[in-house]
Amino acid sequence: MLSLAVAALFLIVALLLALARSRRRLRAAERREAHYRALFERAPVMMHSVDRERRLLSVNDAWLATLGYTRAEVLGRDSSEFLTPESRRRALESVVPRFVREGSLRDVDYQMRTRSGEIIDVQLSAIWETDAEGRPLRTLSVLKDVTEARRLAQRMAHLAHHDALTGLPNRVLFQDRVQLACATAHSRGSRFAVVFMDLDHFKHVNDSLGHALGDQLLTTVSARLAGILRGGDTVCRLGGDEFVMLLPDLADAGPAGEVAERILDAVAQPCWLDGTEVRIGVSLGIALYPQDGEDPATLMKRADTAMYRAKREGRNRFHFHSLAFDHEASVRLQLEADLRRGLAEGRYRLHYQPVVEARSRQLVAVEALVRWDRDGHGLQGPASFIPVAEETGFIVPLGQWILRQACEQLRAWSLAGPAPISMAINVSPLQLVEPDFADRVAQTLQATGIEGAQLVFELTESALARDPQASRDALLRIKALGIRVAVDDFGTGHSSLAHLKRFPVDTLKIDRTFVRDLETDVDSREIVRAMLALAQSLHLQVVAEGVETEAQARLLGEMACPALQGFLFGRPVEPQAIGDRLRAQAGAAPSRPQARHGLPA
Ligand code: C2E
Ligand code: MG
Ligand code: MG
């Protein structure tokens, strides 16, 4: 009996103990569960779990905090909804099928969109949780937010390839791009240019204004450069005040020269640095692929050499390296650029050639003839640049300057005392047909205090014939200002009576080729005689050009040619010499009245 009771008690104790143990195990399991849940929910990386349809089963706090949602908003939604469209497409097309196949993923790069629309970079790793038979039930995914790290890496890469001050590409990146341009141009048979640029006297700015303002100037210049270049071009700061540009896909040297021109213009604009106006120039050198080099090092060296040449020749200009290839084109571009700069730099001069009355040989007029004091080339005659100036339209601004200068000179002579003479000015057909030509002329007359009657505009027959109607209209407006019109080089163009009658012409200038042969060639003599007769019947004035000998002057005198011009009476000279001559003439014959209009009536 006792032993039975003992056995029962023992059993109860054993049962109680077992119960207690199982309770302890349960509590331990619950604690473990709570621990893992906390681990999941509070881990400082984003985690989620999805079912086989990608529906979110659980997300942790970091996931919610990073993407800005509450748990209730996201559970049950397709996890791919939170990816950017590009990442989503990649996930559905390739990543998910691979995951199903392989059972795990490691460091897959995705971009996610936060609730506020911000894009973040993540790296996702995941495994499947399976049932007892090994069938996938749900995933456990960990997402590392690598946005900051990636930004930092990008910033490092940018710093490694860009200039810290201006943000422009640096030498390393530039060389890469030139390398690429070489390969592309080689396979396509295209051309490109490398342009070196260095600010003129930058050291002076730096020394006088300080480095901070020097830096500001560099930033301003680089912004202007960036504004000029096309989308595919690259501008890089090599360091200091040196920049280099890559201009891909050029048909020829022309556009490179144009870009250089624009850069010269843009940089020349004044900069305001801390209230101080700073003006700076640049020198540029251009090397072209393939003629100047077929690899980055050669091209950069050649562009640099060309730039030094620009510096040597006086700075604030550009130079092509090319001498062999496209020589013509580069010489021509250089000429065009130099021509324009010449105007800004005041490198043009007017010389004046006397026109005398045939009988008295008194100075009655001068013809203004332009010269160009071109850097490194000496004084250039008009034959070397007027044709280019006409082709490029530069003759229009140049002609304005010539007119203004000639009028100012005329005014200066008359203020100095001598009696007024006429001023003959050569006018290009391009100027004549500018819509506002007559207005500008009127303004110049007004500004300089010169009367129209003191001027003669010289135009060639071929110039008038180019656009007869527009020329006639323009001439009528010019004549309304009192200005007379002369046909220059008469006899060399398509001389036609119709033209002479049609245009309001006052004077014929017999071309010097007829005068040259007067003594030896009967035809020339007959032609000149006929021209004089024609002029008389049309009531036109005549000037014979190119009179070099006494014999020519005598023959012309015998034919009653009223006015003569040529080396015999004076070469084109500086204004001072004309002033002296006018004073001498006035002193020698003080009572002789000068013809009002310069040419004897
Ligand atoms: P043009 O208007 O017929 O000017 C006369 C040219 O003949 C000048 O040459 C002058 O130096 C030259 N000449 C004058 N007398 C003699 C002489 O006795 N013998 C010889 N062999 N030559 C003589 P330049 O200054 O070289 O001018 C050449 C041309 O350039 C001018 O011919 C004119 O067509 C053009 N030109 C000159 N200045 C201007 C200008 O300001 N504007 C424009 N649009 N054209 C100009
Ligand atoms: Mg002339
Ligand atoms: Mg002439």
Side-chain angles (χ1 to χ4, degrees), residues 189-266:
S190 56
R191 297 172 176 184
F192 67 87
V194 172
V195 184
F196 243 76
M197 174 185 131
D198 188 289
L199 299 181
D200 296 334
H201 307 298
F202 176 68
K203 191 176 160 353
H204 177 69
V205 174
N206 233 3
D207 291 349
S208 55
L209 297 179
H211 285 244
L213 292 192
D215 282 359
Q216 253 186 53
L217 180 62
L218 290 171
T219 325
T220 309
V221 167
S222 59
R224 289 184 189 174
L225 291 178
I228 284 173
L229 300 183
R230 306 165 300 173
D233 299 341
T234 302
V235 50
C236 137
R237 177 170 171 237
L238 289 179
D241 60 343
E242 275 191 340
F243 295 81
V244 61
M245 281 147 278
L246 167 68
L247 315 176
D249 290 325
L250 301 178
D252 52 46
E258 283 159 22
V259 169
E261 281 265 21
R262 288 213 298 280
I263 292 174
L264 283 168
D265 273 356

Coordinates of all heavy atoms in Angstrom, one line a residue, residues 189-266:
G189 N 36.7 58.2 -90.5 CA 37.4 59.1 -91.4 C 37.0 60.6 -91.2 O 37.0 61.4 -92.1
S190 N 36.7 60.9 -90.0 CA 36.3 62.3 -89.7 C 37.5 63.1 -89.1 O 38.6 62.6 -88.9 CB 35.1 62.3 -88.7 OG 35.4 61.6 -87.6
R191 N 37.3 64.4 -88.8 CA 38.3 65.2 -88.3 C 37.9 65.9 -87.0 O 36.7 66.0 -86.7 CB 38.6 66.3 -89.3 CG 39.1 65.9 -90.6 CD 39.2 67.0 -91.5 NE 39.7 66.5 -92.8 CZ 40.0 67.3 -93.8 NH1 39.7 68.5 -93.7 NH2 40.5 66.7 -94.9
F192 N 38.9 66.2 -86.2 CA 38.6 67.0 -85.0 C 39.8 67.9 -84.7 O 40.8 67.8 -85.3 CB 38.2 66.1 -83.8 CG 39.4 65.3 -83.3 CD1 40.2 65.8 -82.3 CD2 39.6 64.0 -83.8 CE1 41.2 65.0 -81.8 CE2 40.6 63.2 -83.3 CZ 41.4 63.7 -82.3
A193 N 39.5 68.9 -83.8 CA 40.6 69.8 -83.4 C 40.8 69.8 -81.9 O 39.9 69.6 -81.1 CB 40.1 71.2 -83.8
V194 N 42.1 70.0 -81.6 CA 42.5 70.2 -80.2 C 43.0 71.7 -80.1 O 43.8 72.1 -80.9 CB 43.6 69.3 -79.8 CG1 44.1 69.7 -78.4 CG2 43.1 67.9 -79.8
V195 N 42.4 72.4 -79.2 CA 42.7 73.9 -79.1 C 43.3 74.2 -77.7 O 42.6 73.9 -76.7 CB 41.4 74.7 -79.2 CG1 41.7 76.2 -79.2 CG2 40.6 74.3 -80.5
F196 N 44.5 74.7 -77.7 CA 45.1 75.1 -76.5 C 44.9 76.5 -76.2 O 44.8 77.3 -77.2 CB 46.6 74.9 -76.7 CG 47.2 73.9 -75.7 CD1 47.0 72.5 -76.0 CD2 47.9 74.3 -74.6 CE1 47.5 71.6 -75.1 CE2 48.5 73.3 -73.7 CZ 48.3 72.0 -74.0
M197 N 44.7 76.9 -75.0 CA 44.4 78.3 -74.7 C 45.1 78.7 -73.4 O 45.2 78.0 -72.4 CB 42.9 78.4 -74.5 CG 42.5 79.8 -74.1 SD 40.7 79.8 -73.8 CE 40.8 80.6 -72.2
D198 N 45.6 79.9 -73.4 CA 46.4 80.4 -72.2 C 46.0 81.9 -72.1 O 46.0 82.6 -73.1 CB 47.9 80.2 -72.5 CG 48.7 80.6 -71.3 OD1 48.8 81.7 -70.9 OD2 49.3 79.6 -70.7
L199 N 45.6 82.3 -70.9 CA 45.3 83.7 -70.7 C 46.5 84.5 -70.8 O 47.6 84.2 -70.3 CB 44.6 83.9 -69.3 CG 43.4 83.1 -69.0 CD1 42.8 83.4 -67.6 CD2 42.3 83.4 -70.1
D200 N 46.4 85.7 -71.4 CA 47.5 86.6 -71.5 C 47.7 87.4 -70.2 O 46.8 88.0 -69.7 CB 47.3 87.6 -72.7 CG 47.2 86.8 -74.0 OD1 47.8 85.7 -74.1 OD2 46.5 87.4 -75.0
H201 N 48.9 87.4 -69.7 CA 49.3 88.2 -68.6 C 48.4 87.8 -67.3 O 48.1 88.7 -66.6 CB 49.2 89.7 -68.8 CG 50.0 90.0 -70.1 ND1 51.3 89.9 -70.1 CD2 49.6 90.6 -71.2 CE1 51.8 90.3 -71.3 NE2 50.7 90.7 -72.0
F202 N 48.0 86.6 -67.2 CA 47.2 86.2 -66.0 C 48.0 86.4 -64.7 O 47.4 86.8 -63.7 CB 46.8 84.8 -66.1 CG 46.0 84.3 -64.9 CD1 44.7 84.8 -64.7 CD2 46.5 83.4 -64.1 CE1 44.0 84.4 -63.6 CE2 45.9 83.0 -62.9 CZ 44.6 83.5 -62.7
K203 N 49.3 86.2 -64.8 CA 50.1 86.3 -63.6 C 50.0 87.7 -63.0 O 50.0 87.9 -61.8 CB 51.6 86.0 -64.0 CG 52.5 85.9 -62.8 CD 53.9 85.5 -63.3 CE 55.0 85.8 -62.3 NZ 54.7 86.5 -61.1
H204 N 49.9 88.7 -64.0 CA 49.8 90.1 -63.6 C 48.5 90.3 -62.7 O 48.5 90.9 -61.7 CB 49.8 90.9 -64.8 CG 49.6 92.4 -64.5 ND1 50.6 93.1 -63.9 CD2 48.6 93.2 -64.7 CE1 50.2 94.3 -63.7 NE2 49.0 94.4 -64.2
V205 N 47.4 89.7 -63.2 CA 46.1 89.8 -62.5 C 46.3 89.2 -61.1 O 45.9 89.8 -60.1 CB 45.0 89.1 -63.3 CG1 43.7 89.1 -62.4 CG2 44.8 89.7 -64.6
N206 N 46.8 88.0 -61.1 CA 47.0 87.3 -59.8 C 47.9 88.0 -58.8 O 47.5 88.1 -57.7 CB 47.7 85.9 -60.2 CG 46.9 84.8 -59.6 OD1 45.8 84.9 -59.1 ND2 47.4 83.6 -59.8
D207 N 48.9 88.6 -59.3 CA 49.9 89.3 -58.5 C 49.2 90.6 -58.0 O 49.4 91.0 -56.8 CB 51.2 89.6 -59.2 CG 52.0 88.3 -59.4 OD1 51.6 87.3 -58.8 OD2 53.0 88.4 -60.2
S208 N 48.5 91.3 -58.8 CA 48.0 92.6 -58.4 C 46.7 92.5 -57.7 O 46.5 93.3 -56.8 CB 47.9 93.5 -59.6 OG 47.1 92.9 -60.6
L209 N 45.8 91.6 -58.0 CA 44.5 91.5 -57.3 C 44.4 90.4 -56.3 O 43.5 90.4 -55.5 CB 43.4 91.3 -58.4 CG 43.3 92.4 -59.4 CD1 42.2 92.0 -60.4 CD2 42.9 93.7 -58.7
G210 N 45.4 89.5 -56.3 CA 45.4 88.5 -55.3 C 44.8 87.2 -55.8 O 44.0 87.2 -56.8
H211 N 45.1 86.1 -55.2 CA 44.7 84.8 -55.7 C 43.2 84.5 -55.7 O 42.7 83.9 -56.6 CB 45.4 83.7 -54.9 CG 46.9 83.6 -55.3 ND1 47.4 82.5 -55.9 CD2 47.9 84.5 -55.2 CE1 48.7 82.7 -56.1 NE2 49.0 83.9 -55.7
A212 N 42.5 85.1 -54.7 CA 41.1 84.8 -54.7 C 40.4 85.4 -55.9 O 39.6 84.7 -56.5 CB 40.5 85.5 -53.4
L213 N 40.8 86.6 -56.3 CA 40.2 87.2 -57.5 C 40.7 86.5 -58.8 O 40.0 86.4 -59.7 CB 40.4 88.7 -57.5 CG 39.7 89.5 -56.4 CD1 39.8 91.0 -56.7 CD2 38.3 89.1 -56.3
G214 N 42.0 86.1 -58.7 CA 42.5 85.3 -59.8 C 41.7 84.1 -60.0 O 41.3 83.8 -61.2
D215 N 41.3 83.4 -58.9 CA 40.4 82.2 -59.0 C 39.1 82.6 -59.6 O 38.5 81.9 -60.5 CB 40.2 81.6 -57.7 CG 41.4 80.8 -57.2 OD1 42.4 80.7 -58.0 OD2 41.4 80.3 -56.1
Q216 N 38.6 83.7 -59.2 CA 37.3 84.2 -59.7 C 37.3 84.4 -61.2 O 36.4 84.1 -62.0 CB 36.9 85.5 -59.1 CG 35.8 85.3 -58.1 CD 35.4 86.7 -57.6 OE1 35.1 87.6 -58.3 NE2 35.4 86.9 -56.3
L217 N 38.4 85.0 -61.7 CA 38.6 85.2 -63.1 C 38.6 83.9 -63.9 O 38.0 83.8 -64.9 CB 39.9 86.0 -63.3 CG 40.2 86.3 -64.8 CD1 39.1 87.2 -65.3 CD2 41.6 87.0 -64.9
L218 N 39.4 82.9 -63.3 CA 39.4 81.6 -64.0 C 38.1 81.0 -64.1 O 37.7 80.4 -65.1 CB 40.4 80.7 -63.2 CG 41.9 81.1 -63.3 CD1 42.7 80.2 -62.3 CD2 42.4 80.9 -64.7
T219 N 37.3 81.1 -63.0 CA 35.9 80.5 -63.0 C 35.1 81.2 -64.1 O 34.3 80.6 -64.8 CB 35.3 80.7 -61.6 OG1 36.3 80.6 -60.6 CG2 34.2 79.6 -61.4
T220 N 35.2 82.6 -64.1 CA 34.4 83.3 -65.1 C 34.8 82.9 -66.5 O 33.9 82.6 -67.3 CB 34.7 84.8 -64.9 OG1 34.5 85.2 -63.6 CG2 33.8 85.6 -65.8
V221 N 36.1 82.8 -66.7 CA 36.5 82.4 -68.1 C 36.0 81.0 -68.4 O 35.5 80.8 -69.5 CB 38.1 82.5 -68.2 CG1 38.6 81.8 -69.4 CG2 38.5 83.9 -68.2
S222 N 36.1 80.1 -67.5 CA 35.7 78.7 -67.8 C 34.2 78.7 -68.1 O 33.7 77.9 -68.9 CB 36.1 77.7 -66.7 OG 35.5 78.1 -65.5
A223 N 33.4 79.5 -67.4 CA 32.0 79.5 -67.6 C 31.7 80.1 -69.1 O 30.9 79.6 -69.8 CB 31.2 80.4 -66.6
R224 N 32.5 81.1 -69.4 CA 32.3 81.6 -70.8 C 32.7 80.6 -71.9 O 32.0 80.5 -72.9 CB 33.2 82.9 -71.0 CG 32.6 84.0 -70.2 CD 33.4 85.3 -70.4 NE 33.0 86.3 -69.5 CZ 33.5 87.5 -69.4 NH1 34.5 87.8 -70.1 NH2 33.1 88.4 -68.5
L225 N 33.7 79.8 -71.6 CA 34.1 78.8 -72.5 C 33.0 77.8 -72.7 O 32.6 77.4 -73.8 CB 35.4 78.1 -72.1 CG 36.7 78.9 -72.1 CD1 37.8 78.1 -71.5 CD2 37.0 79.4 -73.5
A226 N 32.5 77.3 -71.5 CA 31.5 76.3 -71.6 C 30.3 76.8 -72.3 O 29.6 76.1 -73.0 CB 31.1 75.9 -70.1
G227 N 30.0 78.1 -72.2 CA 28.9 78.7 -72.9 C 29.0 78.7 -74.5 O 28.1 78.7 -75.2
I228 N 30.3 78.7 -74.9 CA 30.5 78.8 -76.3 C 30.5 77.4 -77.0 O 30.1 77.3 -78.2 CB 31.9 79.5 -76.6 CG1 31.8 80.9 -76.3 CG2 32.4 79.2 -78.0 CD1 33.1 81.7 -76.3
L229 N 31.0 76.4 -76.3 CA 31.2 75.1 -77.0 C 29.9 74.4 -77.2 O 28.8 74.7 -76.6 CB 32.1 74.3 -76.1 CG 33.5 74.9 -75.9 CD1 34.4 74.0 -75.2 CD2 34.1 75.3 -77.2
R230 N 29.9 73.5 -78.2 CA 28.7 72.7 -78.5 C 28.6 71.5 -77.5 O 29.6 71.3 -76.7 CB 28.9 72.0 -79.9 CG 29.1 73.0 -81.0 CD 29.6 72.3 -82.2 NE 30.8 71.5 -82.0 CZ 31.4 70.7 -82.8 NH1 30.9 70.5 -84.0 NH2 32.5 70.1 -82.5
G231 N 27.5 70.8 -77.6 CA 27.3 69.7 -76.6 C 28.4 68.7 -76.6 O 28.8 68.2 -75.5
G232 N 28.9 68.3 -77.7 CA 29.9 67.2 -77.8 C 31.3 67.6 -77.5 O 32.2 66.8 -77.4
D233 N 31.5 69.0 -77.4 CA 32.9 69.5 -77.2 C 33.3 69.3 -75.7 O 32.4 69.2 -74.8 CB 32.9 71.0 -77.5 CG 32.6 71.2 -79.0 OD1 32.6 70.3 -79.8 OD2 32.2 72.4 -79.3
T234 N 34.6 69.2 -75.5 CA 35.1 69.1 -74.1 C 36.0 70.3 -73.9 O 36.9 70.6 -74.7 CB 35.9 67.8 -73.9 OG1 35.0 66.7 -74.2 CG2 36.4 67.7 -72.5
V235 N 35.8 71.0 -72.7 CA 36.9 71.9 -72.3 C 37.4 71.5 -71.0 O 36.7 71.1 -70.1 CB 36.3 73.4 -72.3 CG1 35.0 73.5 -71.5 CG2 37.3 74.3 -71.7
C236 N 38.7 71.6 -70.9 CA 39.4 71.1 -69.7 C 40.4 72.2 -69.2 O 40.9 72.9 -70.0 CB 40.1 69.8 -70.1 SG 41.8 69.7 -69.5
R237 N 40.5 72.2 -67.9 CA 41.5 73.1 -67.4 C 42.7 72.3 -67.0 O 42.6 71.3 -66.2 CB 41.0 73.8 -66.1 CG 42.1 74.7 -65.5 CD 41.5 75.6 -64.4 NE 42.6 76.3 -63.7 CZ 42.8 76.2 -62.4 NH1 42.0 75.5 -61.6 NH2 43.8 76.9 -61.8
L238 N 43.8 72.6 -67.6 CA 45.0 71.8 -67.4 C 45.7 72.2 -66.1 O 46.5 71.4 -65.5 CB 46.0 72.1 -68.5 CG 45.7 71.5 -69.9 CD1 46.7 71.8 -70.9 CD2 45.5 70.0 -69.8
G239 N 45.4 73.4 -65.6 CA 46.1 73.9 -64.4 C 46.4 75.3 -64.7 O 46.5 75.8 -65.9
G240 N 46.6 76.1 -63.7 CA 47.0 77.5 -63.8 C 46.0 78.2 -64.7 O 44.8 78.1 -64.6
D241 N 46.5 78.9 -65.7 CA 45.6 79.6 -66.6 C 45.5 78.9 -68.0 O 45.3 79.6 -69.0 CB 46.0 81.1 -66.8 CG 47.4 81.2 -67.3 OD1 48.2 80.2 -67.3 OD2 47.8 82.3 -67.8
E242 N 45.8 77.6 -68.0 CA 45.9 76.9 -69.2 C 44.6 76.1 -69.4 O 44.2 75.3 -68.5 CB 47.1 75.9 -69.3 CG 48.3 76.6 -69.7 CD 49.4 75.6 -70.0 OE1 49.3 74.4 -69.5 OE2 50.3 75.9 -70.7
F243 N 44.0 76.2 -70.6 CA 42.8 75.4 -70.9 C 43.1 74.7 -72.2 O 43.9 75.1 -73.0 CB 41.6 76.3 -71.0 CG 41.2 77.0 -69.8 CD1 41.8 78.2 -69.4 CD2 40.1 76.5 -69.0 CE1 41.4 78.8 -68.2 CE2 39.7 77.2 -67.8 CZ 40.4 78.3 -67.4
V244 N 42.3 73.6 -72.4 CA 42.4 72.9 -73.7 C 41.1 72.4 -74.0 O 40.3 72.0 -73.2 CB 43.5 71.8 -73.6 CG1 43.2 70.7 -72.6 CG2 43.7 71.2 -75.0
M245 N 40.8 72.4 -75.3 CA 39.4 72.0 -75.8 C 39.5 71.0 -76.9 O 40.5 71.0 -77.6 CB 38.7 73.3 -76.4 CG 38.1 74.1 -75.3 SD 38.1 75.9 -75.8 CE 39.8 76.3 -75.4
L246 N 38.5 70.2 -76.9 CA 38.4 69.1 -77.9 C 37.1 69.4 -78.7 O 36.1 69.5 -78.1 CB 38.3 67.8 -77.3 CG 37.9 66.6 -78.2 CD1 39.0 66.3 -79.2 CD2 37.6 65.3 -77.3
L247 N 37.3 69.6 -80.0 CA 36.1 69.9 -80.9 C 36.0 68.8 -81.9 O 36.7 68.7 -82.9 CB 36.3 71.2 -81.6 CG 36.9 72.4 -80.8 CD1 37.1 73.6 -81.8 CD2 35.9 72.8 -79.7
P248 N 35.1 67.8 -81.6 CA 35.0 66.6 -82.5 C 34.2 66.9 -83.7 O 33.5 67.9 -83.7 CB 34.4 65.6 -81.6 CG 33.7 66.3 -80.5 CD 34.3 67.7 -80.4
D249 N 34.3 66.0 -84.7 CA 33.4 66.1 -85.9 C 33.4 67.4 -86.6 O 32.4 68.1 -86.7 CB 31.9 65.8 -85.4 CG 31.8 64.3 -85.1 OD1 32.5 63.5 -85.7 OD2 31.0 64.0 -84.1
L250 N 34.6 67.7 -87.1 CA 34.6 69.0 -87.9 C 34.8 68.6 -89.4 O 35.5 67.7 -89.7 CB 35.9 69.8 -87.5 CG 35.9 70.2 -86.0 CD1 37.2 71.0 -85.8 CD2 34.7 71.1 -85.7
A251 N 34.1 69.4 -90.2 CA 34.2 69.1 -91.7 C 35.6 69.6 -92.2 O 36.3 68.9 -93.0 CB 33.1 69.8 -92.4
D252 N 36.1 70.7 -91.6 CA 37.4 71.2 -92.0 C 37.9 72.1 -90.9 O 37.3 72.2 -89.8 CB 37.3 71.9 -93.4 CG 36.2 73.0 -93.4 OD1 36.2 73.7 -92.4 OD2 35.5 73.1 -94.3
A253 N 38.9 72.9 -91.2 CA 39.5 73.8 -90.2 C 38.6 75.0 -89.8 O 38.7 75.5 -88.7 CB 40.8 74.3 -90.6
G254 N 37.6 75.3 -90.7 CA 36.8 76.5 -90.6 C 36.2 76.7 -89.2 O 36.4 77.6 -88.5
P255 N 35.4 75.7 -88.8 CA 34.7 75.8 -87.5 C 35.6 76.0 -86.3 O 35.3 76.7 -85.4 CB 33.8 74.5 -87.4 CG 33.7 74.0 -88.8 CD 35.0 74.5 -89.5
A256 N 36.8 75.4 -86.4 CA 37.7 75.5 -85.3 C 38.2 77.0 -85.2 O 38.2 77.5 -84.1 CB 38.9 74.6 -85.5
G257 N 38.4 77.6 -86.4 CA 38.8 79.0 -86.4 C 37.7 79.8 -85.8 O 37.9 80.8 -85.1
E258 N 36.4 79.5 -86.2 CA 35.3 80.3 -85.7 C 35.2 80.2 -84.2 O 34.9 81.2 -83.5 CB 34.0 79.8 -86.4 CG 33.9 80.3 -87.8 CD 32.9 79.4 -88.6 OE1 32.0 78.8 -88.0 OE2 33.0 79.4 -89.8
V259 N 35.3 79.0 -83.7 CA 35.3 78.8 -82.2 C 36.3 79.7 -81.6 O 36.1 80.4 -80.6 CB 35.4 77.3 -81.8 CG1 35.6 77.2 -80.3 CG2 34.2 76.5 -82.2
A260 N 37.6 79.6 -82.1 CA 38.7 80.4 -81.6 C 38.3 81.9 -81.6 O 38.5 82.6 -80.6 CB 39.9 80.1 -82.4
E261 N 37.7 82.3 -82.7 CA 37.3 83.7 -82.8 C 36.3 84.1 -81.7 O 36.4 85.1 -81.0 CB 36.5 83.9 -84.1 CG 37.4 84.1 -85.3 CD 37.6 85.5 -85.6 OE1 37.4 86.4 -84.7 OE2 38.0 85.8 -86.7
R262 N 35.3 83.1 -81.5 CA 34.3 83.4 -80.5 C 34.9 83.5 -79.1 O 34.5 84.3 -78.2 CB 33.2 82.4 -80.6 CG 32.3 82.5 -81.8 CD 30.8 82.1 -81.5 NE 30.7 80.7 -81.1 CZ 30.7 79.7 -82.0 NH1 30.8 80.0 -83.3 NH2 30.6 78.5 -81.6
I263 N 35.9 82.6 -78.9 CA 36.5 82.6 -77.6 C 37.3 83.9 -77.3 O 37.2 84.5 -76.3 CB 37.5 81.4 -77.4 CG1 36.7 80.1 -77.4 CG2 38.4 81.5 -76.2 CD1 37.5 78.9 -77.4
L264 N 38.0 84.4 -78.4 CA 38.7 85.6 -78.2 C 37.7 86.7 -77.9 O 37.9 87.5 -77.0 CB 39.3 86.0 -79.6 CG 40.6 85.2 -79.9 CD1 41.0 85.4 -81.3 CD2 41.7 85.7 -79.0
D265 N 36.5 86.7 -78.5 CA 35.5 87.7 -78.3 C 35.0 87.6 -76.8 O 34.9 88.6 -76.1 CB 34.3 87.6 -79.2 CG 34.5 88.3 -80.5 OD1 35.6 89.0 -80.6 OD2 33.7 88.2 -81.4
A266 N 34.6 86.4 -76.5 CA 34.0 86.2 -75.2 C 34.9 86.5 -74.0 O 34.5 87.2 -73.0 CB 33.5 84.7 -75.0

